[in-house]
Amino acid sequence: MQHQEQEKKDQAFFNDQKEKITIYLKYNIPDFNTVTFTNEEFNPIGISIDGYINNDKNLSFTAGKDVKIFSCSDELDKMFKEPRKNYDEIIEKEETSLEIPREKIRSIDEILSELKSYEDQIITRNKI
C-alpha cells in the first residue's frame, strides 16, 4: 500500500516537472511545437527527465529538477532564442504581467449599506 502511495507521489512530482520543462521550452524556443518525454528517473544528484521536441529525436534534452539543469543536443541548442530565460524568470514575468488591479477591500457594513441603497432605489422606482 505504501509503495503505491509513493508511486503516486513520484508520478505527480514528475508530471509537475514535465509541465515546467514544457513551459521552459515554449518560452525559449520560437519553433517549439511538441515535446515527447522518453525517460524519468531519480538519480544520485537529483532527477533527470529526458525527451525531445517537434517529433525529432535529434532535438533531444535532459533536464533536472525545476529545469535548473538543462543540457541538450547541438541541434536543439541552436534553436533557443537569446538571451535564454530560466524557468523562475519566466514564471516571475508571467505573474507580474498577469497581475490584475484588485478592488479595495470593503467591510461588511459598506457592502450592506450599498445593498440597502440599491433596495431603496428599487422600491422608489416601483412606487412611481
Side-chain angles (χ1 to χ4, degrees):
M1 189 83 123
Q2 287 178 338
H3 181 68
Q4 288 177 338
E5 288 291 321
Q6 188 60 44
E7 281 183 5
K8 285 181 184 179
K9 287 180 184 178
D10 291 349
Q11 192 56 51
F13 172 79
F14 278 114
N15 288 341
D16 179 59
Q17 294 303 307
K18 288 175 183 178
E19 185 176 322
K20 291 176 180 183
I21 293 166
T22 303
I23 290 168
Y24 174 78
L25 293 168
K26 280 182 182 178
Y27 185 88
N28 283 301
I29 300 176
D31 296 330
F32 174 84
N33 292 314
T34 62
V35 61
T36 303
F37 296 102
T38 58
N39 187 44
E40 58 195 43
E41 66 182 9
F42 290 101
N43 58 43
I45 61 167
I47 68 158
S48 68
I49 299 176
D50 302 325
Y52 54 91
I53 70 164
N54 298 350
N55 298 314
D56 185 345
K57 292 182 180 181
N58 292 319
L59 302 175
S60 62
F61 64 85
T62 299
K65 184 175 187 275
D66 297 332
V67 203
K68 301 277 188 215
I69 298 171
F70 188 87
S71 61
C72 60
S73 65
D74 290 338
E75 293 89 349
L76 181 56
D77 192 52
K78 293 173 188 171
M79 295 177 70
F80 276 84
K81 65 182 180 182
E82 295 297 336
R84 290 184 198 187
K85 298 265 192 235
N86 67 39
Y87 176 77
D88 292 335
E89 291 171 319
I90 295 166
I91 293 303
E92 183 179 305
K93 180 180 178 189
E94 291 298 316
E95 286 175 354
T96 57
S97 68
L98 294 176
E99 284 184 13
I100 300 169
R102 298 182 183 213
E103 293 182 30
K104 80 171 191 139
I105 297 175
R106 300 182 299 165
S107 70
I108 291 176
D109 291 334
E110 290 171 316
I111 294 169
L112 289 173
S113 174
E114 186 176 324
L115 289 172
K116 177 70 175 136
S117 173
Y118 289 143
E119 181 183 45
D120 291 344
Q121 290 173 11
I122 291 169
I123 291 171
T124 302
R125 272 191 239 143
N126 289 333
K127 283 184 180 180
I128 297 177

